[in-house]
Amino acid sequence: MIGPYVLPDDVFDALAAGAGGRPAVLLLLRARRSRNLLLLRRALDGPCGRAVEPAADLLAGVERVAPEAARPVIDGPAFGTWAARTLRDCPAHHRGGCAGRDLAALAVLAAVRAARPARVTVPVREGRLRLPGLGTVTGLGETPEALVVVEAPAGAEGAPGTSAGSCRVSVLTAAGERVLPRDPSRPGHGWQPVAVLDARHRGLTLRLPLETAAPELPALETASAGPAAWQDLLRQAWELLVDNHPRRAEELAAGLNGIVPLPAPARGVASATSRHAFGTVLTSWPADPERLALTLLHEFQHSKLSALTDLVTLYESGGRPRLYAPWRPDPRPPGGLLQGIYAHLGDLAFWQERSGSRHGPAQADAAWRLAQTRAHVERGLTEAASHVRLTALGTRFLERLARTVRDGDREGTGAGGGSGGERLARAVARVQAGDEAVWRLRWAAADDAGTERLAALWRAGRPAGPLPAEDVRAATGAVAGPGPEFGRWAARQRGAERARPAREAADAVLAAPDRAQGWAELASAAAEEDRPGADVLRTRTELVRDLCVRLTARQPATPPGTAPPRPPDPLALAAWLTDPAAEDGQKTGVSMSQNARSPLAKTSATG
C-alpha cells in the first residue's frame, strides 16, 4: 500500500546507533516498497508509459489475486534499479528500445509464482533473455525480443501453496519455441536458472537468490564458483552471524533479498550496493565464510541508510563537495562519506566480536582491524562534522553514531591493555596520518597566489596569517589505491615500535620533495612526536610541500666563499603555518619539543 511513513524517534535513534533491529528494517522495507510503487506510477505517466503499461497491468493483476507473489518482485533486486534507470536515463524510448520494456522481465516471475496466465514481450540482448528471479534463456540469436507465455493449470491462479513448477513457461521467437523446465530451478538446454541459497540456524532462515538474470544489475554466470559453493559458504557465514551477531542476523533475515555475483578483482573482494536495490548485496567470491559474513553486514548498512534517507534529510547542499574518507582512495561527496561511516559500523561490530573470541595471530589481526576501523570512523565523523552541512536530524544521527563508537571503545579493542594496546594505537595512528598525507598530495591543490603570499611572508620573517584556500580535484575514471610503496610502509608499521624520527623524515623530504611516501612518513612521525605543525603536515600536506618547493627554488644568491643556505625546513614551515600570530616564525617561532602525548590520544586525533 502507498502511504505516508512516520519514523518514530526511538527507531531513528536505534538506526543511528548502527543496528535498529528487525522492526526498523521492516519499516524501511515497507517504505521502500511504497517508493518503488510511486516510481512505477511516474514511469507510467512519463514518456516511457506505453512501454511500461503491459507489464504494469500484469503486476497489478497478480497483486489483486496473490499479493505475496507480486511483493517479492516489487521489493526485489531489480525493480528499483529498473525504475531509476527508466526515469533518469532512457534515451531510446522514442526508438523502440525503451528501458521501460524491461519491466516485463520482472513481471514474468510474479506471474509464474501466482500461476497466472500471461503473454508478455520481453527484450532479448546479445542472444539472452534474462528473467530476474527465474533464470536466463541463452542462444536466441539476433532476435530483439521474445514472447513469454505462462500457462497454468485450471484453478491454480493465486491458490495458496502454488509453486513455480505448476506452470508451463515457453519462449517464442521467429526461430521457434523454447519451453523452460517444468521446475525452473533446474538447469536445462539453453536455460541457466537463478539458484536460491538457503541457510538455517537456530530458528533463523535466510533465503537469497543468487541473482544472475537481472538486466539492470551487473550479474555474471557463476562458473568460477557455482551455486553449490555459494550455498556452502552462505551456510557457514550464517552460522557465524546468528551465533555472534543475533540481532543483526535478524535484520538480515528480514531485509536481505539477493546476492549478485561480481567478477573477482585482481586482489581481495569487490562488493557494492545499489542505493535503488534495497537489501541486495553485490559481491565477488568471498572465499571464506568470515569475509562473506563481514560483506553482508557492511553492505546491508548501506541499504539501511539509503532507505532511511528516503524518509529524512540528514544534510543540505552547500558544504564541501569532495571530502576525505580514510577507507577510500578517492574523494567522496557528502552522501558518500556518510554512507561509508555508517557501513563501517557493521565492520566495527564484526571485529569487536572477532577480537574478543579469537586467539594467537588471528586475534592480533582482528584487533588491528578493529582499531583501524574505529580510527576510520572517528576520522570520518570529524570530516563530516567539519565540512558537511548537517540538518538537525543529521547532527543527531552522527552524535548517536559517535556514541556507539565511544561505547565500543570503552569495551576494549581486544588488543589487551598496557603497552600492547598503546603500541597498536600508535601504529594505527601512524598509518592513518600517512594515508591522509598521501591522499592530499594526490587530490588537493593549494591556491598559487596564496602560496606565493606565504612564501613572501616567510622570507620577511612575518606571521603566516590565514592559510590559502584549497581545492580538492574530482576523480575521473577508475581510481587505484596509494600504491605499493605506501602499502609496504603501512604493513611495516604493525610491527614497528615507533615512527621514523621526525628530524630524519624531514631531511629525507628535503632530499626528495616529490616523493609522496616521504611526506607520509613525515606526517606520521610529526604526529607521533606531537610536533608543532603536525596537524598541518597531515591535513594540508600539499601546501607545505608546495611552499617548501617554492622557497627552495628561489633561494637568494650565495656570496663567494660562503656556504649555501639550507632549504626551508618542512617541520619549521608546518609549525609556522600552525601559529600565524608568531612574530618571527622563520627564525625563532619554531618549537622542536619532542614531548609525546599518550598514543591513545593520538588515535582519535582528527588532523
Side-chain angles (χ1 to χ4, degrees):
M1 176 183 295
I2 298 176
Y5 284 85
V6 177
L7 192 66
D9 285 346
D10 59 335
V11 174
F12 177 86
D13 288 337
L15 286 167
R22 177 182 171 86
V25 170
L26 291 176
L27 185 149
L28 294 177
L29 181 61
R30 291 193 300 271
R32 178 52 67 98
R33 185 180 305 143
S34 286
R35 175 183 182 271
N36 284 348
L37 289 171
L38 287 170
L39 292 177
L40 176 57
R41 181 71 264 169
R42 283 184 59 196
L44 283 166
D45 293 340
C48 303
R50 183 173 297 179
V52 173
E53 189 173 4
D57 288 344
L58 175 56
L59 269 178
V62 170
E63 202 277 335
R64 282 193 295 270
V65 299
E68 71 284 352
R71 192 173 298 134
V73 174
I74 298 167
D75 296 343
F79 192 96
T81 49
W82 163 80
R85 178 169 175 255
T86 301
L87 292 169
R88 179 190 69 244
D89 180 25
C90 185
H93 69 261
H94 291 304
R95 302 193 301 271
C98 176
R101 297 163 65 236
D102 287 321
L103 181 63
L106 282 66
V108 170
L109 176 62
V112 169
R113 285 183 170 173
R116 180 178 179 85
R119 297 172 65 87
V120 289
T121 301
V122 180
V124 175
R125 296 183 177 89
E126 298 177 348
R128 295 170 178 263
L129 183 146
R130 297 184 181 275
L131 301 173
L134 284 176
T136 302
V137 181
T138 62
L140 294 180
E142 299 296 324
T143 183
E145 60 186 24
L147 179 66
V148 178
V149 180
V150 179
E151 300 174 88
E157 181 178 357
T162 298
S163 68
S166 65
C167 295
R168 181 182 188 273
V169 182
S170 56
V171 177
L172 284 72
T173 66
E177 181 184 37
R178 186 86 61 85
V179 179
L180 304 191
R182 179 65 72 171
D183 180 358
S185 67
R186 299 179 65 86
H189 177 67
W191 172 246
Q192 299 170 352
V194 168
V196 178
L197 311 179
D198 191 310
R200 305 168 190 265
H201 187 59
R202 294 189 174 182
L204 275 180
T205 299
L206 189 66
R207 287 180 57 83
L208 300 176
L210 190 63
E211 185 58 82
T212 55
E216 303 293 334
L217 295 169
L220 76 162
E221 290 74 17
T222 57
S224 59
W230 279 97
Q231 172 64 54
D232 185 57
L233 198 68
L234 181 65
R235 177 187 57 78
Q236 297 176 68
W238 189 235
E239 291 176 1
L240 187 158
L241 288 167
V242 172
D243 287 342
N244 301 301
H245 305 277
R247 190 172 187 222
R248 290 181 181 269
E250 290 176 355
E251 289 187 359
L252 297 175
L256 279 184
N257 61 23
I259 292 178
V260 177
L262 297 177
R267 295 179 58 190
V269 176
S271 65
T273 305
S274 167
R275 76 171 314 274
H276 303 294
F278 179 83
T280 303
V281 174
L282 293 78
T283 179
S284 61
W285 174 244
D288 66 77
E290 183 178 85
R291 182 62 204 222
L292 179 56
L294 177 61
T295 298
L296 295 180
L297 287 177
H298 180 98
E299 298 300 340
F300 192 59
Q301 290 291 106
H302 284 307
S303 278
K304 285 158 56 181
L305 185 55
S306 293
L308 177 63
T309 53
D310 288 342
L311 302 176
V312 298
T313 301
L314 299 180
Y315 68 96
E316 300 171 345
S317 60
R320 286 191 185 176
R322 292 178 285 275
L323 303 168
Y324 172 65
W327 51 85
R328 288 283 297 240
D330 53 340
R332 302 300 293 151
L337 177 65
L338 296 181
Q339 278 282 356
I341 294 170
Y342 194 67
H344 276 79
L345 283 190
D347 300 30
L348 202 61
F350 183 85
W351 293 119
Q352 180 77 49
E353 186 281 326
R354 294 277 93 183
S355 66
S357 63
R358 305 177 111 196
H359 304 281
Q363 190 277 336
D365 181 68
W368 170 267
R369 294 178 185 277
L370 172 62
Q372 188 174 54
T373 301
R374 179 175 290 115
H376 283 174
V377 173
E378 289 173 345
R379 181 64 186 90
L381 285 168
T382 302
E383 186 82 348
S386 301
H387 303 306
V388 178
R389 293 189 61 184
L390 297 167
T391 63
L393 276 179
T395 300
R396 176 174 157 187
F397 183 83
L398 287 194
E399 287 175 348
R400 187 65 187 87
L401 195 157
R403 193 185 314 162
T404 296
V405 178
R406 290 195 301 270
D407 291 345
D409 196 19
R410 282 196 291 269
E411 294 175 11
T413 64
S419 61
E422 293 177 1
R423 180 172 175 174
L424 174 64
R426 287 197 305 269
V428 168
R430 285 197 297 271
V431 173
Q432 186 161 300
D435 177 82
E436 188 163 358
V438 171
W439 185 92
R440 293 205 63 84
L441 290 177
R442 184 176 189 184
W443 298 108
D447 175 69
D448 282 342
T451 306
E452 183 57 40
R453 177 187 62 81
L454 287 175
L457 291 171
W458 170 269
R459 294 188 197 99
R462 296 173 56 192
L467 299 188
E470 60 179 303
D471 176 48
V472 175
R473 296 181 290 269
T476 57
V479 177
E485 186 180 16
F486 180 83
R488 290 190 293 268
W489 173 81
R492 289 196 300 270
Q493 300 315 302
R494 295 181 64 167
E497 182 63 35
R498 54 162 294 159
R500 184 181 190 179
R503 180 69 269 153
E504 183 180 315
D507 291 340
V509 160
L510 289 174
D514 291 328
R515 181 173 172 261
Q517 186 56 48
W519 289 96
E521 293 183 358
L522 179 58
S524 63
E528 188 161 279
E529 294 179 14
D530 198 19
R531 292 268 187 161
D535 285 353
V536 171
L537 278 167
R538 175 178 177 170
T539 64
R540 294 302 304 270
T541 319
E542 79 292 349
L543 177 60
V544 182
R545 193 269 310 272
D546 291 357
L547 187 56
C548 188
V549 170
R550 192 179 297 258
L551 289 168
T552 302
R554 295 183 58 182
Q555 291 280 9
T558 304
T562 61
R566 271 183 64 86
D569 178 12
L571 287 170
L573 279 175
W576 176 70
L577 292 169
T578 302
D579 186 13
E583 287 299 324
D584 194 356
Q586 183 180 12
K587 296 178 181 177
T588 62
V590 178
S591 168
M592 294 299 177
S593 170
Q594 300 275 343
N595 295 334
R597 294 184 195 170
S598 161
L600 294 177
K602 298 306 293 181
T603 303
S604 59
T606 61

